[in-house]
Amino acid sequence: MVKPIVKDVLFLMQPSQPADIADGQTARDLADTLMAHRGHCVGLAANMIGVRKNIIVFLAAEMPFVMLNPRIVSHSAESYKAEEGCLSLNGTRTATRYQRIEVVYDNMMMKPCKGTYEGFTAQIIQHEIDHCHGILI
């Protein structure tokens, strides 16, 4: 179900709690909400739809890719400044991002997974993981 986007900065600055198997509907709602905004949005975190759970979703080959409890375990030495926007905030802001990241996460069945991401996809994941920690750009 498509959910409204939260714009309350005080809510968004609160760290999220770990996700578990009972959070499947939140993950599906998050994916539905991303697809409803896909023309101008490439990723969301659960707190952006009002749920303080460690869940993110981003577009991968035009389809939503969900990660529960994502955690960056390593990153490249190279970083860069990126100009980023956010559905929850007005305007754009500068953020420092790593070129390549390795992420561990749980899939929708709570099976542990690991992936390496580069470039724009890595940037999106870093932005959404920041949301889970209550960090806004």
Side-chain angles (χ1 to χ4, degrees):
M1 175 184 297
V2 176
K3 299 290 186 174
I5 300 297
V6 171
K7 299 196 180 269
D8 179 350
V9 175
L10 294 178
F11 179 83
L12 294 168
M13 291 175 66
Q14 298 176 42
S16 296
Q17 301 300 311
D20 60 37
I21 195 75
D23 294 310
Q25 186 59 52
T26 296
R28 287 186 290 279
D29 290 346
L30 194 59
D32 290 345
T33 304
L34 174 63
M35 294 308 287
H37 292 277
R38 71 180 172 270
H40 55 277
C41 180
V42 292
L44 292 172
N47 63 353
M48 295 174 70
I49 62 167
V51 181
R52 286 189 17 221
K53 288 292 187 154
N54 241 351
I55 306 170
I56 70 169
V57 63
F58 58 94
L59 288 178
E62 299 301 315
M63 295 300 297
F65 190 94
V66 176
M67 293 180 170
L68 284 73
N69 305 311
R71 191 168 47 93
I72 297 170
V73 293
S74 69
H75 57 77
S76 61
E78 309 90 39
S79 65
Y80 61 96
K81 298 284 185 191
E83 193 72 18
E84 297 180 353
C86 180
L87 279 184
S88 290
L89 305 170
N90 293 325
T92 61
R93 293 162 182 80
T94 302
T96 301
R97 300 297 182 203
Y98 295 106
Q99 180 62 34
R100 187 181 64 258
I101 58 173
E102 185 174 9
V103 180
V104 294
Y105 62 95
D106 298 318
N107 68 16
M108 293 283 287
M109 302 303 295
M110 295 306 294
K111 301 292 184 210
C113 300
K114 183 193 278 190
T116 301
Y117 303 90
E118 296 185 25
F120 189 54
T121 302
Q123 180 180 334
I124 298 165
I125 294 168
Q126 290 170 82
H127 178 105
E128 303 313 334
I129 288 175
D130 279 354
H131 265 294
C132 291
H133 294 291
I135 299 168
L136 303 177
I137 56 169

